[in-house]
Amino acid sequence: RHKVEAGQVLPKELVCPCIEPRRCMTPLLPHDVRLCLPAASYDRYERLTLQRCVEVEDGFGTCPSAGCPYMFSWEEGNRKLEC
């Protein structure tokens, strides 16, 4: 829960907390994350996960207008944005 609140939602950041007999470090699946979080925190997790995906992929983008949550994928040969 604390990692999601801090914005740490990447698979390498949300891993199995098991430490016995050795540290597990398996990334948690979205279904597992949902089981561990209250609804409001899971909504934040989903929103941040989508934002991180858009940030790292060249074919995605966000509206440049301040406060606009619109996210999109570019079509090849058409980079015109209509928000």
Side-chain angles (χ1 to χ4, degrees), residues 15-26:
V15 296
C16 174
C18 182
I19 58 172
E20 296 292 332
R22 60 180 172 74
R23 194 161 192 90
C24 179
M25 300 302 289
T26 300

Side-chain angles (χ1 to χ4, degrees), residues 2-79:
H2 300 288
K3 287 190 172 197
V4 171
E5 290 172 4
Q8 299 175 344
V9 296
L10 298 176
K12 67 181 180 181
E13 297 167 330
L14 291 178
V15 296
C16 174
C18 182
I19 58 172
E20 296 292 332
R22 60 180 172 74
R23 194 161 192 90
C24 179
M25 300 302 289
T26 300
L28 295 176
L29 298 173
H31 174 75
D32 298 324
V33 175
R34 180 188 299 259
L35 294 174
C36 298
L37 295 175
S41 294
Y42 187 75
D43 290 345
R44 176 175 170 76
Y45 163 79
E46 282 189 317
R47 188 179 72 253
L48 290 174
T49 301
L50 181 58
Q51 285 176 343
R52 298 299 184 270
C53 179
V54 168
E55 290 169 0
V56 299
E57 294 292 330
D58 286 337
F60 295 104
T62 59
C63 177
S65 299
C68 181
Y70 183 70
M71 297 178 197
F72 54 88
S73 64
W74 297 109
E75 293 179 9
E76 190 171 332
N78 180 12
R79 293 187 68 88

